[in-house]
Amino acid sequence: MALSDRKYKLLFDNDGITRAWISLACRRLELGDPDLDSIRDLPTVRNLSAWGDLLEQIQDRCWRFHTRQGESVLLACEVQSAPDFLIMMRLLAYASGTVVALDRAEHFSRRRPPPLPCLLLIYTGARAWNPPGMDVLTGGRVSNPAPLFPYLYMDVLHGNFRTWDLPQELELMVQAERTRTPSALLTGKFPENVAALPDPHTVRALVDFMKLTMLAWAEQSAHDRAIQDALHYDLREITTPEELAMAAQEYQRGYFAVKEEGRQEGLQEGRLEGRLEGLFQAKVDLMVEMLLPAAGTEFEEELRLLLGDERLVSRLDVNTIVDLRIQYGADPAGLRQAVRTRLGSAAPAS
């Protein structure tokens, strides 16, 4: 099973995160308040003999529940990591097939209507994507671009969720998916925010989700493979937010150490003339790159002036910068002043 599939299976298997998904869908689709005690998993289409392997690739989760207003709802959920031209058709078939299968046991009628089918599509692909609507798939013969059922689409990496009022569990999921460096993990206070969740099972699920995200970095970059190979412990053994924070700190040190080593090797392969000056400038550039995301881009000009003296540069190294970023990750002004103090500058805080 691919890492991305394993990650989302962790979330779907967790009761607290399931409740967060259903609460979000009910709010966004205006279904009313869900009765969270009524939630139960339904068999996915791959388990229904009538469909065989036809829809083998699109089943992730299907939940049935009631709203507090008494309406029965079926929420068919799919996670898609790459664009799929026919995804709307597949989702409709998924939900419809499940309702038809339920009818065999429950015998729906006008007096006993079937659950309302609703669709949740979670897209995790690297490039932004809008699924083709029903108007496109039918050559314009169906004018409505959305499916026939209530439908919620969530582009995890590219969507703007400021007005969505995401549950905290899903906020942390989005943060984990959008984290591409260990420094972003630390400055975003991900381990601390996960640890503050009240349910220990949800805490573990999100730690594992972030751990699998970090392991996936090695699949995307030789640079990250080199870092993970150099770590003193196995990322797969992490089980707590505290261990996750320690792993991120270790990873961050390795991230910049490998990067600095690569730059120096590249410069050493060049001409002897100007090599020392080049090495010094490369070190300055690396320190600027490490500090600016947390200290603010407005600090760049002043920082380069401070680092213009080789005697001052020697007062900073990768480990020191990592420690400062961890200490002042949520306080850009404090980080700027700490750097000034470290470099012996009397410049005022800004």
Side-chain angles (χ1 to χ4, degrees), residues 175-176 179-192 210 214 217 244-245 247-249 252:
Q175 182 185 351
T179 296
R180 290 293 177 267
T181 64
S183 59
L185 174 65
L186 293 167
T187 56
K189 301 294 182 184
F190 182 88
E192 294 89 337
M210 188 68 243
M214 293 173 72
W217 294 345
L244 184 62
Q249 293 173 22
Q252 184 166 307

Side-chain angles (χ1 to χ4, degrees), residues 107-217:
H107 307 293
F108 299 123
S109 66
R110 187 182 297 273
R111 291 185 177 181
R112 188 179 183 181
L116 171 66
C118 299
L119 309 175
L120 171 60
L121 176 58
I122 303 163
Y123 174 65
T124 63
R127 65 178 179 87
W129 174 61
N130 285 311
M134 294 302 295
D135 52 347
V136 174
L137 297 179
T138 61
R141 288 179 172 82
V142 173
S143 59
N144 187 0
L148 302 175
F149 306 140
Y151 162 69
L152 179 62
Y153 177 58
M154 186 176 187
D155 184 340
V156 176
L157 291 180
H158 310 97
N160 183 350
F161 306 118
R162 293 177 187 171
T163 62
W164 281 42
D165 191 23
L166 288 177
Q168 179 69 4
E169 295 87 352
L170 301 188
E171 284 269 15
L172 289 166
M173 178 206 76
V174 171
Q175 182 185 351
E177 282 284 51
R178 294 185 177 186
T179 296
R180 290 293 177 267
T181 64
S183 59
L185 174 65
L186 293 167
T187 56
K189 301 294 182 184
F190 182 88
E192 294 89 337
N193 292 334
V194 169
L197 294 172
D199 176 34
H201 300 292
T202 303
V203 170
R204 177 62 188 270
L206 284 165
V207 167
D208 287 342
F209 188 88
M210 188 68 243
K211 173 176 65 179
L212 291 173
T213 299
M214 293 173 72
L215 286 168
W217 294 345

Side-chain angles (χ1 to χ4, degrees), residues 251-262:
Y251 203 119
Q252 184 166 307
R253 296 180 201 279
Y255 176 85
F256 289 113
V258 168
K259 192 162 191 174
E260 183 174 25
E261 180 182 348

Side-chain angles (χ1 to χ4, degrees), residues 329-348:
D331 180 12
L335 177 59
R336 292 194 291 269
Q337 191 57 40
V339 171
R340 294 185 186 107
T341 301
R342 186 80 186 186
L343 294 176
S345 170

Side-chain angles (χ1 to χ4, degrees), residues 11-282:
L11 299 189
F12 290 142
D13 284 346
N14 179 267
D15 289 341
I17 297 176
T18 292
R19 291 177 174 224
W21 284 121
I22 289 174
S23 297
L24 173 68
C26 285
R27 185 167 60 251
R28 298 295 299 177
L29 299 176
E30 299 181 345
L31 301 176
D33 294 330
D35 177 1
L36 297 177
D37 292 331
S38 69
I39 299 170
R40 66 183 181 93
D41 281 316
L42 293 179
T44 54
V45 174
R46 70 169 61 139
N47 303 125
L48 303 176
S49 58
W51 287 91
D53 294 332
L54 178 62
L55 302 177
E56 183 180 0
Q57 299 302 316
I58 70 160
Q59 305 84 44
D60 282 309
R61 214 48 150 218
C62 193
W63 297 300
R64 188 179 184 180
F65 59 93
H66 290 83
T67 67
R68 297 199 178 278
Q69 292 73 31
E71 187 173 26
S72 179
V73 178
L74 180 149
L75 182 61
C77 179
E78 161 67 2
V79 179
Q80 190 70 26
S81 60
D84 181 344
F85 182 70
L86 287 179
I87 190 63
M88 290 294 187
M89 294 286 195
R90 292 177 179 273
L91 284 170
L92 286 173
Y94 181 15
S96 301
T98 303
V99 172
V100 169
L102 288 172
D103 180 58
R104 296 170 189 162
E106 301 186 29
H107 307 293
F108 299 123
S109 66
R110 187 182 297 273
R111 291 185 177 181
R112 188 179 183 181
L116 171 66
C118 299
L119 309 175
L120 171 60
L121 176 58
I122 303 163
Y123 174 65
T124 63
R127 65 178 179 87
W129 174 61
N130 285 311
M134 294 302 295
D135 52 347
V136 174
L137 297 179
T138 61
R141 288 179 172 82
V142 173
S143 59
N144 187 0
L148 302 175
F149 306 140
Y151 162 69
L152 179 62
Y153 177 58
M154 186 176 187
D155 184 340
V156 176
L157 291 180
H158 310 97
N160 183 350
F161 306 118
R162 293 177 187 171
T163 62
W164 281 42
D165 191 23
L166 288 177
Q168 179 69 4
E169 295 87 352
L170 301 188
E171 284 269 15
L172 289 166
M173 178 206 76
V174 171
Q175 182 185 351
E177 282 284 51
R178 294 185 177 186
T179 296
R180 290 293 177 267
T181 64
S183 59
L185 174 65
L186 293 167
T187 56
K189 301 294 182 184
F190 182 88
E192 294 89 337
N193 292 334
V194 169
L197 294 172
D199 176 34
H201 300 292
T202 303
V203 170
R204 177 62 188 270
L206 284 165
V207 167
D208 287 342
F209 188 88
M210 188 68 243
K211 173 176 65 179
L212 291 173
T213 299
M214 293 173 72
L215 286 168
W217 294 345
E219 297 179 353
Q220 302 168 13
S221 158
H223 180 259
D224 281 274
R225 279 197 297 276
I227 296 169
Q228 291 193 24
D229 289 344
L231 292 178
H232 298 304
Y233 53 85
D234 191 341
L235 287 174
R236 291 169 294 186
E237 300 299 320
I238 296 169
T239 61
T240 68
E242 294 74 21
E243 291 172 347
L244 184 62
M246 292 176 62
Q249 293 173 22
E250 178 77 10
Y251 203 119
Q252 184 166 307
R253 296 180 201 279
Y255 176 85
F256 289 113
V258 168
K259 192 162 191 174
E260 183 174 25
E261 180 182 348
R263 287 187 178 185
Q264 289 184 358
E265 288 177 355
L267 285 166
Q268 288 170 0
E269 291 174 359
R271 296 171 57 190
L272 179 61
E273 181 181 354
R275 183 181 299 165
L276 292 179
E277 181 180 349
L279 285 172
F280 170 71
Q281 189 57 50

